[in-house]
mmCIF file of all heavy atoms in Angstrom:
data_model
loop_
_atom_site.group_PDB
_atom_site.id
_atom_site.type_symbol
_atom_site.label_atom_id
_atom_site.label_comp_id
_atom_site.label_asym_id
_atom_site.label_seq_id
_atom_site.Cartn_x
_atom_site.Cartn_y
_atom_site.Cartn_z
ATOM 1 N N LYS L 804 7.804 0.142 -7.565
ATOM 2 C CA LYS L 804 7.749 -0.918 -8.572
ATOM 3 C C LYS L 804 7.397 -0.343 -9.938
ATOM 4 O O LYS L 804 6.762 0.707 -10.036
ATOM 5 C CB LYS L 804 6.707 -1.977 -8.172
ATOM 6 C CG LYS L 804 7.053 -2.771 -6.928
ATOM 7 C CD LYS L 804 5.985 -3.829 -6.651
ATOM 8 C CE LYS L 804 6.322 -4.659 -5.408
ATOM 9 N NZ LYS L 804 5.288 -5.687 -5.136
ATOM 10 N N ILE L 805 7.800 -1.054 -10.957
ATOM 11 C CA ILE L 805 7.435 -0.690 -12.319
ATOM 12 C C ILE L 805 6.201 -1.489 -12.721
ATOM 13 O O ILE L 805 6.204 -2.721 -12.675
ATOM 14 C CB ILE L 805 8.582 -0.953 -13.307
ATOM 15 C CG1 ILE L 805 9.852 -0.206 -12.872
ATOM 16 C CG2 ILE L 805 8.175 -0.562 -14.724
ATOM 17 C CD1 ILE L 805 9.681 1.300 -12.853
ATOM 18 N N ILE L 806 5.122 -0.780 -13.079
ATOM 19 C CA ILE L 806 3.881 -1.415 -13.518
ATOM 20 C C ILE L 806 3.559 -0.886 -14.911
ATOM 21 O O ILE L 806 3.383 0.319 -15.100
ATOM 22 C CB ILE L 806 2.725 -1.120 -12.547
ATOM 23 C CG1 ILE L 806 3.042 -1.674 -11.149
ATOM 24 C CG2 ILE L 806 1.424 -1.721 -13.066
ATOM 25 C CD1 ILE L 806 1.976 -1.365 -10.116
ATOM 26 N N ASN L 807 3.520 -1.808 -15.884
ATOM 27 C CA ASN L 807 3.252 -1.432 -17.285
ATOM 28 C C ASN L 807 4.173 -0.312 -17.761
ATOM 29 O O ASN L 807 3.756 0.632 -18.441
ATOM 30 C CB ASN L 807 1.785 -1.000 -17.453
ATOM 31 C CG ASN L 807 0.813 -2.128 -17.178
ATOM 32 O OD1 ASN L 807 1.124 -3.300 -17.420
ATOM 33 N ND2 ASN L 807 -0.360 -1.791 -16.651
ATOM 34 N N GLY L 808 5.424 -0.423 -17.366
ATOM 35 C CA GLY L 808 6.432 0.533 -17.818
ATOM 36 C C GLY L 808 6.447 1.845 -17.065
ATOM 37 O O GLY L 808 7.206 2.753 -17.416
ATOM 38 N N VAL L 809 5.608 1.974 -16.035
ATOM 39 C CA VAL L 809 5.525 3.214 -15.260
ATOM 40 C C VAL L 809 5.953 2.925 -13.818
ATOM 41 O O VAL L 809 5.562 1.907 -13.233
ATOM 42 C CB VAL L 809 4.090 3.782 -15.270
ATOM 43 C CG1 VAL L 809 4.001 5.048 -14.434
ATOM 44 C CG2 VAL L 809 3.642 4.048 -16.698
ATOM 45 N N CYS L 810 6.739 3.843 -13.251
ATOM 46 C CA CYS L 810 7.142 3.695 -11.848
ATOM 47 C C CYS L 810 5.947 4.028 -10.961
ATOM 48 O O CYS L 810 5.449 5.159 -10.953
ATOM 49 C CB CYS L 810 8.316 4.626 -11.531
ATOM 50 S SG CYS L 810 8.959 4.414 -9.846
ATOM 51 N N ALA L 811 5.470 3.023 -10.225
ATOM 52 C CA ALA L 811 4.257 3.157 -9.406
ATOM 53 C C ALA L 811 4.631 3.280 -7.933
ATOM 54 O O ALA L 811 5.422 2.486 -7.411
ATOM 55 C CB ALA L 811 3.342 1.949 -9.615
ATOM 56 N N CYS L 812 4.046 4.267 -7.277
ATOM 57 C CA CYS L 812 4.334 4.537 -5.867
ATOM 58 C C CYS L 812 3.913 3.369 -4.983
ATOM 59 O O CYS L 812 2.807 2.838 -5.105
ATOM 60 C CB CYS L 812 3.594 5.805 -5.437
ATOM 61 S SG CYS L 812 3.954 6.328 -3.746
ATOM 62 N N GLN L 813 4.806 2.983 -4.094
ATOM 63 C CA GLN L 813 4.513 1.960 -3.097
ATOM 64 C C GLN L 813 4.557 2.609 -1.717
ATOM 65 O O GLN L 813 5.394 3.475 -1.445
ATOM 66 C CB GLN L 813 5.543 0.823 -3.149
ATOM 67 C CG GLN L 813 5.693 0.188 -4.524
ATOM 68 C CD GLN L 813 4.481 -0.612 -4.949
ATOM 69 O OE1 GLN L 813 4.135 -1.603 -4.336
ATOM 70 N NE2 GLN L 813 3.828 -0.163 -6.018
ATOM 71 N N ALA L 814 3.650 2.230 -0.847
ATOM 72 C CA ALA L 814 3.594 2.775 0.508
ATOM 73 C C ALA L 814 3.480 1.631 1.506
ATOM 74 O O ALA L 814 3.246 0.478 1.130
ATOM 75 C CB ALA L 814 2.426 3.748 0.655
ATOM 76 N N THR L 815 3.632 1.972 2.778
ATOM 77 C CA THR L 815 3.672 0.959 3.828
ATOM 78 C C THR L 815 2.677 1.274 4.927
ATOM 79 O O THR L 815 2.484 2.428 5.305
ATOM 80 C CB THR L 815 5.088 0.890 4.449
ATOM 81 O OG1 THR L 815 6.020 0.515 3.438
ATOM 82 C CG2 THR L 815 5.145 -0.140 5.565
ATOM 83 N N ALA L 816 2.029 0.232 5.422
ATOM 84 C CA ALA L 816 1.136 0.346 6.578
ATOM 85 C C ALA L 816 1.653 -0.550 7.694
ATOM 86 O O ALA L 816 2.295 -1.575 7.446
ATOM 87 C CB ALA L 816 -0.283 -0.041 6.196
ATOM 88 N N PHE L 817 1.358 -0.149 8.925
ATOM 89 C CA PHE L 817 1.713 -0.932 10.103
ATOM 90 C C PHE L 817 0.435 -1.451 10.728
ATOM 91 O O PHE L 817 -0.467 -0.679 11.060
ATOM 92 C CB PHE L 817 2.472 -0.065 11.107
ATOM 93 C CG PHE L 817 2.829 -0.774 12.385
ATOM 94 C CD1 PHE L 817 3.797 -1.770 12.380
ATOM 95 C CD2 PHE L 817 2.194 -0.460 13.571
ATOM 96 C CE1 PHE L 817 4.124 -2.432 13.558
ATOM 97 C CE2 PHE L 817 2.517 -1.106 14.748
ATOM 98 C CZ PHE L 817 3.487 -2.101 14.738
ATOM 99 N N GLU L 818 0.329 -2.770 10.845
ATOM 100 C CA GLU L 818 -0.835 -3.396 11.466
ATOM 101 C C GLU L 818 -0.543 -3.542 12.958
ATOM 102 O O GLU L 818 0.352 -4.289 13.352
ATOM 103 C CB GLU L 818 -1.092 -4.756 10.805
ATOM 104 C CG GLU L 818 -2.523 -5.264 10.989
ATOM 105 C CD GLU L 818 -2.722 -5.978 12.288
ATOM 106 O OE1 GLU L 818 -2.852 -5.292 13.333
ATOM 107 O OE2 GLU L 818 -2.739 -7.203 12.285
ATOM 108 N N PRO L 819 -1.256 -2.789 13.818
ATOM 109 C CA PRO L 819 -0.829 -2.654 15.211
ATOM 110 C C PRO L 819 -1.066 -3.864 16.102
ATOM 111 O O PRO L 819 -0.489 -3.937 17.188
ATOM 112 C CB PRO L 819 -1.660 -1.457 15.704
ATOM 113 C CG PRO L 819 -2.873 -1.472 14.831
ATOM 114 C CD PRO L 819 -2.411 -1.953 13.496
ATOM 115 N N PHE L 820 -1.882 -4.820 15.677
ATOM 116 C CA PHE L 820 -2.169 -5.956 16.544
ATOM 117 C C PHE L 820 -1.218 -7.124 16.284
ATOM 118 O O PHE L 820 -0.700 -7.728 17.214
ATOM 119 C CB PHE L 820 -3.632 -6.367 16.387
ATOM 120 C CG PHE L 820 -4.570 -5.261 16.774
ATOM 121 C CD1 PHE L 820 -5.216 -4.499 15.815
ATOM 122 C CD2 PHE L 820 -4.776 -4.945 18.104
ATOM 123 C CE1 PHE L 820 -6.058 -3.466 16.161
ATOM 124 C CE2 PHE L 820 -5.620 -3.903 18.474
ATOM 125 C CZ PHE L 820 -6.261 -3.158 17.499
ATOM 126 N N GLN L 821 -1.006 -7.439 14.992
ATOM 127 C CA GLN L 821 0.031 -8.423 14.676
ATOM 128 C C GLN L 821 1.414 -7.782 14.699
ATOM 129 O O GLN L 821 2.419 -8.479 14.706
ATOM 130 C CB GLN L 821 -0.208 -9.004 13.279
ATOM 131 C CG GLN L 821 -1.504 -9.778 13.125
ATOM 132 C CD GLN L 821 -1.625 -10.355 11.733
ATOM 133 O OE1 GLN L 821 -1.136 -11.454 11.470
ATOM 134 N NE2 GLN L 821 -2.251 -9.607 10.822
ATOM 135 N N ARG L 822 1.434 -6.436 14.687
ATOM 136 C CA ARG L 822 2.671 -5.653 14.679
ATOM 137 C C ARG L 822 3.549 -6.028 13.483
ATOM 138 O O ARG L 822 4.723 -6.367 13.623
ATOM 139 C CB ARG L 822 3.441 -5.787 15.995
ATOM 140 C CG ARG L 822 2.638 -5.336 17.205
ATOM 141 C CD ARG L 822 3.515 -5.189 18.437
ATOM 142 N NE ARG L 822 4.519 -4.134 18.266
ATOM 143 C CZ ARG L 822 4.283 -2.821 18.392
ATOM 144 N NH1 ARG L 822 3.067 -2.396 18.680
ATOM 145 N NH2 ARG L 822 5.246 -1.952 18.218
ATOM 146 N N ILE L 823 2.941 -5.980 12.299
ATOM 147 C CA ILE L 823 3.674 -6.276 11.079
ATOM 148 C C ILE L 823 3.541 -5.103 10.108
ATOM 149 O O ILE L 823 2.585 -4.328 10.159
ATOM 150 C CB ILE L 823 3.170 -7.564 10.393
ATOM 151 C CG1 ILE L 823 1.685 -7.429 10.008
ATOM 152 C CG2 ILE L 823 3.383 -8.776 11.275
ATOM 153 C CD1 ILE L 823 1.170 -8.579 9.160
ATOM 154 N N CYS L 824 4.548 -4.976 9.252
ATOM 155 C CA CYS L 824 4.525 -3.965 8.196
ATOM 156 C C CYS L 824 4.218 -4.651 6.868
ATOM 157 O O CYS L 824 4.636 -5.794 6.643
ATOM 158 C CB CYS L 824 5.875 -3.254 8.096
ATOM 159 S SG CYS L 824 6.359 -2.362 9.592
ATOM 160 N N ASN L 825 3.490 -3.963 6.010
ATOM 161 C CA ASN L 825 3.190 -4.516 4.696
ATOM 162 C C ASN L 825 3.138 -3.367 3.701
ATOM 163 O O ASN L 825 2.567 -2.316 3.978
ATOM 164 C CB ASN L 825 1.852 -5.258 4.715
ATOM 165 C CG ASN L 825 1.777 -6.301 3.616
ATOM 166 O OD1 ASN L 825 2.310 -6.111 2.535
ATOM 167 N ND2 ASN L 825 1.100 -7.412 3.901
ATOM 168 N N SER L 826 3.747 -3.582 2.539
ATOM 169 C CA SER L 826 3.820 -2.546 1.512
ATOM 170 C C SER L 826 3.124 -3.016 0.240
ATOM 171 O O SER L 826 3.131 -4.204 -0.084
ATOM 172 C CB SER L 826 5.278 -2.214 1.192
ATOM 173 O OG SER L 826 5.969 -1.792 2.339
ATOM 174 N N ASP L 827 2.535 -2.070 -0.461
ATOM 175 C CA ASP L 827 1.940 -2.374 -1.753
ATOM 176 C C ASP L 827 1.652 -1.063 -2.467
ATOM 177 O O ASP L 827 2.145 -0.001 -2.073
ATOM 178 C CB ASP L 827 0.684 -3.231 -1.603
ATOM 179 C CG ASP L 827 0.560 -4.234 -2.746
ATOM 180 O OD1 ASP L 827 0.250 -3.800 -3.862
ATOM 181 O OD2 ASP L 827 0.775 -5.436 -2.507
ATOM 182 N N GLN L 828 0.800 -1.118 -3.481
ATOM 183 C CA GLN L 828 0.575 0.027 -4.353
ATOM 184 C C GLN L 828 -0.285 1.105 -3.688
ATOM 185 O O GLN L 828 -1.332 0.824 -3.118
ATOM 186 C CB GLN L 828 -0.093 -0.425 -5.651
ATOM 187 C CG GLN L 828 -0.307 0.701 -6.657
ATOM 188 C CD GLN L 828 -1.022 0.223 -7.912
ATOM 189 O OE1 GLN L 828 -1.282 -0.964 -8.077
ATOM 190 N NE2 GLN L 828 -1.342 1.152 -8.791
ATOM 191 N N PHE L 829 0.172 2.336 -3.812
ATOM 192 C CA PHE L 829 -0.629 3.478 -3.404
ATOM 193 C C PHE L 829 -1.419 3.932 -4.618
ATOM 194 O O PHE L 829 -0.877 4.116 -5.708
ATOM 195 C CB PHE L 829 0.270 4.616 -2.892
ATOM 196 C CG PHE L 829 -0.431 5.538 -1.937
ATOM 197 C CD1 PHE L 829 -0.799 5.109 -0.675
ATOM 198 C CD2 PHE L 829 -0.729 6.846 -2.300
ATOM 199 C CE1 PHE L 829 -1.456 5.953 0.209
ATOM 200 C CE2 PHE L 829 -1.383 7.698 -1.427
ATOM 201 C CZ PHE L 829 -1.743 7.251 -0.159
ATOM 202 N N THR L 830 -2.725 4.102 -4.457
ATOM 203 C CA THR L 830 -3.584 4.354 -5.595
ATOM 204 C C THR L 830 -4.723 5.282 -5.184
ATOM 205 O O THR L 830 -4.653 5.947 -4.142
ATOM 206 C CB THR L 830 -4.124 3.018 -6.157
ATOM 207 O OG1 THR L 830 -4.885 3.251 -7.336
ATOM 208 C CG2 THR L 830 -4.942 2.261 -5.140
ATOM 209 N N TYR L 831 -5.778 5.341 -5.972
ATOM 210 C CA TYR L 831 -6.906 6.206 -5.635
ATOM 211 C C TYR L 831 -8.187 5.672 -6.262
ATOM 212 O O TYR L 831 -8.170 4.886 -7.205
ATOM 213 C CB TYR L 831 -6.665 7.651 -6.074
ATOM 214 C CG TYR L 831 -6.323 7.828 -7.537
ATOM 215 C CD1 TYR L 831 -7.308 8.016 -8.499
ATOM 216 C CD2 TYR L 831 -4.991 7.808 -7.952
ATOM 217 C CE1 TYR L 831 -6.986 8.172 -9.838
ATOM 218 C CE2 TYR L 831 -4.655 7.969 -9.288
ATOM 219 C CZ TYR L 831 -5.653 8.153 -10.226
ATOM 220 O OH TYR L 831 -5.329 8.299 -11.550
ATOM 221 N N GLY L 832 -9.308 6.113 -5.712
ATOM 222 C CA GLY L 832 -10.618 5.694 -6.201
ATOM 223 C C GLY L 832 -11.696 6.511 -5.522
ATOM 224 O O GLY L 832 -11.411 7.456 -4.780
ATOM 225 N N ASP L 833 -12.948 6.154 -5.749
ATOM 226 C CA ASP L 833 -14.079 6.893 -5.194
ATOM 227 C C ASP L 833 -14.567 6.248 -3.901
ATOM 228 O O ASP L 833 -14.549 5.022 -3.761
ATOM 229 C CB ASP L 833 -15.227 6.951 -6.196
ATOM 230 C CG ASP L 833 -14.838 7.653 -7.490
ATOM 231 O OD1 ASP L 833 -13.829 8.389 -7.477
ATOM 232 O OD2 ASP L 833 -15.546 7.453 -8.502
ATOM 233 N N LEU L 834 -15.007 7.093 -2.975
ATOM 234 C CA LEU L 834 -15.586 6.623 -1.720
ATOM 235 C C LEU L 834 -16.883 7.362 -1.460
ATOM 236 O O LEU L 834 -17.020 8.541 -1.804
ATOM 237 C CB LEU L 834 -14.634 6.885 -0.544
ATOM 238 C CG LEU L 834 -13.410 5.993 -0.396
ATOM 239 C CD1 LEU L 834 -12.596 6.437 0.818
ATOM 240 C CD2 LEU L 834 -13.807 4.537 -0.244
ATOM 241 N N SER L 835 -17.819 6.689 -0.837
ATOM 242 C CA SER L 835 -19.061 7.341 -0.435
ATOM 243 C C SER L 835 -19.230 7.245 1.073
ATOM 244 O O SER L 835 -18.737 6.314 1.718
ATOM 245 C CB SER L 835 -20.263 6.710 -1.135
ATOM 246 O OG SER L 835 -20.423 5.352 -0.742
#
């Protein structure tokens, strides 16, 4: 997808219990 004029990476996850796929923005942040 294009976000603020920049092509932003989209990725997909598979939810194993409902067995559905969902895609959205791949991003980054801090974790502790």
Side-chain angles (χ1 to χ4, degrees):
K804 293 182 179 180
I805 304 298
I806 299 177
N807 296 329
V809 178
C810 184
C812 184
Q813 305 291 296
T815 298
F817 177 70
E818 201 276 78
F820 299 103
Q821 297 182 87
R822 301 193 64 79
I823 60 172
C824 299
N825 204 325
S826 302
D827 216 287
Q828 183 182 355
F829 205 69
T830 184
Y831 55 89
D833 299 341
L834 285 179
S835 64

